[in-house]
Amino acid sequence: MSLLVVGLSHRSAPVSVLERAALSADAQIKLLQDTVAAEPAAEAAVLATCNRIELYADVDKFHAGVAELSTLLAQHSGVGLEELTPYLYVHYEDRAVHHFFSVACGLDSMVVGEGQILGQIKDALATAQELHTAGRLLNDLFQQALRVGKRAHSETGIDRAGQSLVTFGLEQLSSGAPADAWLKGKRALVIGAGSMSSLAAATLARAGVAELVVANRTFDRAERLAALLAEQYGQRPAEPDDVDVLARAVPMESVPDELTRADVVVSCTGATGLVLTADLVAEAVEGRTGAPAVERATGSGSDSVRSGLPPTSVGSEDGCPLDLSAVQGSAAQGSAVQGSAVQGASGFSVMGEAAVAGMDAATLEQHAAWVDNGTVDRREGRRTPEIDTDAVAALAAAAATLGRVPERRRPEPVAEVPRPLPVLSLLDLAMPRDIDAAVHRLLGVRLVDIESLAEASADAPMAADVDQVRRIVSDEVAAFDAAQRAAHITPTVVALRAMAADVVASEIARLDGRLPGLDDKQRGEITQTVRRVVDKLLHAPTVRVKQLAAEPGGAGYADALRTLFDLDAETVAAVSRADDDSRDHNSAALGGLDFGRENFDSNNFESAENRGRA
């Protein structure tokens, strides 16, 4: 069996596709159940976050596994397989382990270095364990990934490279200002009470918002979250820098009223439709300001800019070989080119490209000769800049080749339309989105969602510690692979020692029949001597085979050991099943979240050999 991961993320798919492919909690459960029921897969786990959906499985066939997992992802996401396939990525065996460890360290996150992914990995493992879809491989993989992620954050400065998605989103809302200073004293509304919403609420509370309102469809969960926030952040400040937050819960029906009071809104629910529509937000802004929340104008304002430009005519048009009426007409419809513009009904620039656009070669040469005589700007007695006759000759050559001078226009200056400061700032961290994207057109509203966060994070600088984290990942992948290869031979070694113990017991029993007069002390000495001989004979080959099995290509040593000692395959399989049951029991006893190094090492070879002796 081998590890296979099939998935899509913000790196492989646009947000619109991720949004449509998002899996609800029920869909994730059904996906896990269908995956382990499929022929190629024996274990399965789903990692579904706001910017990735990944299905991990232990499969016995690569191509069949890829086909089955891709089909199941498409089926449960509701996105057709043909449409989803171009955005899927596949990792297998070592590459799959490397990818997952990179994800756990935050290297593959939208915000590099964020630590929130560790909590999401814990949740994914707990779900798989609860549904009994995670076996030995995925339990080891997920627990090791959590240790790798914690090691990366403790041994490097990767935390400086990134932050949580919530913090990054709030910094985008603050337009570059420090988020804590920007949030201080504001009224905040959090919609949802899941892990992401809870993180957002805690972040807002730590920043010192004056009031924090939590709304959720299940009101009890909103009340619990609000109570925790009030307990931790609602006490009277003992120091000047401490915060004092008023936290309360409201039902979802109260969200429209709370919108009229809130300064900042963070939404992250599991809803499949919009939670905040554009009309609802517009009504909230109107209720807040007393004025209609009109849409931002889409015009460029170029007419007002053009009317304010100074005249740029360079003097008399006497003797100009151009058809002035035609030139003025075309120039009036176009834009100012190279500093020239239309002035009234007579002024035009003899230097602008609009004046020569479409002119044939002969006329262009006449115009060049007329320009070469020089003209005088009589408005202030200034002479016009010297004409570049070489450039005009080049234009003439182009006109002779093409038959006319191609028209090129610069865009008109765009007037900056003053925009009021937002009275309502919205952060949408849900996938699919909670807030209608159309609200960004409303005056007085600022929206940041997953799509805009993806664009902003693309320009975020990478910390120097990323290279160190990558080295940690590489080392941990090698260690994990060696441990897995070594674990593959453990049942065989245990079965061999169990067979040796049976041989010793049988021979001691036969000796008792032949020498019934032995007392207990003599029988004990003989038994201990025989066992010591067997242990010494088996020690060197079992230690060496463990070393060889941990190296690349060492999987065949287990088969060789079974063949040499004529071990029963069913006995080896029974040992393996017992070992898996022991792992499942240990994980269940610890709530499915066993991250201790001791438990991971308790299944090493020495422990296996000791079980064999017993």
Side-chain angles (χ1 to χ4, degrees):
M1 304 294 282
S2 301
L3 178 65
L4 174 67
V5 55
V6 177
L8 66 160
S9 71
H10 65 285
R11 296 185 181 275
S12 68
V15 174
S16 59
V17 175
L18 283 172
E19 186 177 35
R20 292 171 53 210
L23 297 172
S24 65
D26 291 340
Q28 292 179 41
I29 293 174
K30 184 62 175 172
L31 175 59
L32 285 174
Q33 293 171 338
D34 289 351
T35 301
V36 295
E39 179 180 350
E43 305 177 31
V46 173
L47 179 60
T49 71
C50 57
N51 54 23
R52 78 176 60 250
I53 303 166
E54 295 180 340
L55 178 56
Y56 291 79
D58 186 9
V59 300
D60 58 359
K61 300 175 183 177
F62 172 73
H63 294 289
V66 171
E68 188 67 32
L69 267 59
S70 302
T71 301
L72 288 171
L73 269 178
Q75 175 184 337
H76 290 279
S77 68
V79 180
L81 181 59
E82 291 186 358
E83 182 181 358
L84 191 64
T85 298
Y87 305 112
L88 293 177
Y89 48 78
V90 175
H91 297 294
Y92 189 55
E93 294 187 329
D94 291 357
R95 291 301 307 169
V97 177
H98 189 281
H99 169 76
F100 191 44
F101 287 0
S102 298
V103 168
C105 293
L107 294 180
D108 199 58
S109 297
M110 185 178 293
V111 181
V112 175
E114 60 94 10
Q116 186 182 354
I117 186 65
L118 290 175
Q120 294 163 332
I121 291 175
K122 289 180 185 179
D123 293 341
L125 175 59
T127 300
Q129 289 175 335
E130 182 179 352
L131 297 173
H132 304 289
T133 63
R136 182 187 62 81
L137 175 61
L138 292 186
N139 270 300
D140 287 352
L141 175 71
F142 274 66
Q143 292 179 17
Q144 182 74 356
L146 290 166
R147 283 190 288 272
V148 175
K150 291 178 180 179
R151 179 188 170 192
H153 285 280
S154 64
E155 295 183 11
T156 74
I158 190 67
D159 292 326
R160 294 193 299 268
Q163 55 216 320
S164 74
L165 200 60
V166 173
T167 305
F168 187 64
L170 292 173
E171 288 189 355
Q172 296 303 305
L173 278 181
S174 65
S175 300
D180 288 357
W182 177 73
L183 289 168
K184 192 77 171 179
K186 283 184 166 56
R187 294 186 295 269
L189 169 63
V190 175
I191 304 177
S195 58
M196 181 76 79
S197 299
S198 300
L199 176 61
T203 303
L204 291 167
R206 285 195 300 269
V209 295
E211 182 182 38
L212 184 57
V213 180
V214 181
N216 193 57
R217 296 192 185 280
T218 304
F219 183 64
D220 291 344
R221 295 190 64 183
E223 280 190 316
R224 287 197 297 270
L225 178 56
L228 289 173
L229 294 168
E231 180 180 354
Q232 186 167 1
Y233 301 102
Q235 69 277 4
R236 266 297 143 198
E239 300 294 336
D241 292 337
D242 288 349
V243 297
D244 182 26
V245 178
L246 172 64
R248 57 188 177 90
V250 299
M252 286 295 288
E253 294 75 16
S254 300
V255 166
D257 293 333
E258 296 297 336
L259 280 177
T260 63
R261 305 178 65 253
D263 302 306
V264 181
V265 178
V266 180
S267 185
C268 186
T269 72
T272 55
L274 293 175
V275 176
L276 300 181
T277 63
D279 291 340
L280 184 61
V281 174
E283 291 174 3
V285 173
E286 182 176 352
R288 179 77 175 271
T289 63
V294 298
E295 292 190 359
R296 294 188 175 99
T298 57
S300 64
S302 58
D303 292 339
S304 60
V305 174
R306 183 191 305 170
S307 62
L309 292 176
T312 56
S313 176
V314 293
S316 171
E317 296 88 8
D318 295 339
C320 179
L322 299 181
D323 181 355
L324 297 183
S325 60
V327 172
Q328 290 169 1
S330 63
Q333 295 173 0
S335 62
V337 182
Q338 295 182 352
S340 61
V342 175
Q343 173 65 15
S346 60
F348 73 97
S349 170
V350 297
M351 296 176 60
E353 291 181 12
V356 296
M359 190 184 305
D360 59 37
T363 307
L364 183 63
E365 290 179 354
Q366 294 178 10
H367 179 261
W370 176 76
V371 170
D372 196 34
N373 292 328
T375 54
V376 179
D377 187 349
R378 295 184 177 87
R379 290 173 300 170
E380 297 181 5
R382 297 173 299 183
R383 292 191 59 83
T384 61
E386 184 177 348
I387 303 301
D388 189 346
T389 56
D390 291 338
V392 176
L395 282 174
T401 303
L402 302 176
R404 62 192 299 269
V405 176
E407 183 174 358
R408 298 186 310 179
R409 298 174 182 270
R410 287 186 180 179
E412 294 184 1
V414 177
E416 289 292 334
V417 179
R419 295 180 178 178
L421 293 175
V423 297
L424 184 59
S425 299
L426 307 172
L427 177 58
D428 186 0
L429 298 176
M431 185 63 69
R433 71 185 73 208
D434 281 345
I435 304 175
D436 191 347
V439 305
H440 82 279
R441 296 198 299 265
L442 298 176
L443 288 172
V445 176
R446 176 165 172 75
L447 171 66
V448 171
D449 56 15
I450 292 295
E451 190 166 9
S452 57
L453 286 176
E455 296 174 356
S457 65
D459 299 327
M462 300 280 285
D465 300 272
V466 168
D467 288 338
Q468 186 177 352
V469 173
R470 286 173 177 158
R471 288 192 292 271
I472 290 176
V473 168
S474 297
D475 293 343
E476 292 285 354
V477 169
F480 181 82
D481 288 345
Q484 289 301 305
R485 287 191 295 268
H488 180 69
I489 204 170
T490 299
T492 302
V493 173
V494 172
L496 173 61
R497 290 201 169 271
M499 183 191 73
D502 290 341
V503 171
V504 170
S506 176
E507 290 301 316
I508 295 298
R510 192 167 67 88
L511 183 63
D512 287 341
R514 296 177 61 182
L515 300 174
L518 292 176
D519 58 28
D520 292 341
K521 181 178 180 181
Q522 292 171 328
R523 185 181 297 104
E525 287 291 338
I526 294 173
T527 300
Q528 185 66 24
T529 299
V530 174
R531 286 179 175 172
R532 190 178 297 112
V533 169
V534 172
D535 282 346
K536 287 185 177 181
L537 288 174
L538 291 180
H539 176 74
T542 53
V543 170
R544 184 57 180 152
V545 78
K546 287 182 291 185
Q547 295 171 345
L548 294 172
E551 297 176 358
Y557 287 100
D559 296 333
L561 203 62
R562 287 193 294 268
T563 301
L564 290 172
F565 287 93
D566 194 23
L567 297 176
D568 180 45
E570 181 55 34
T571 302
V572 176
V575 172
S576 181
R577 287 193 297 269
D579 187 52
D580 288 343
D581 291 342
S582 176
R583 290 168 181 263
D584 292 342
H585 175 75
N586 290 338
S587 296
L590 294 173
L593 296 178
D594 171 31
F595 310 126
R597 173 67 66 176
E598 293 78 14
N599 184 68
F600 182 80
D601 290 342
S602 68
N603 291 296
N604 62 19
F605 291 120
E606 293 305 321
S607 298
E609 292 179 9
N610 291 334
R611 290 198 298 271
R613 293 191 184 98

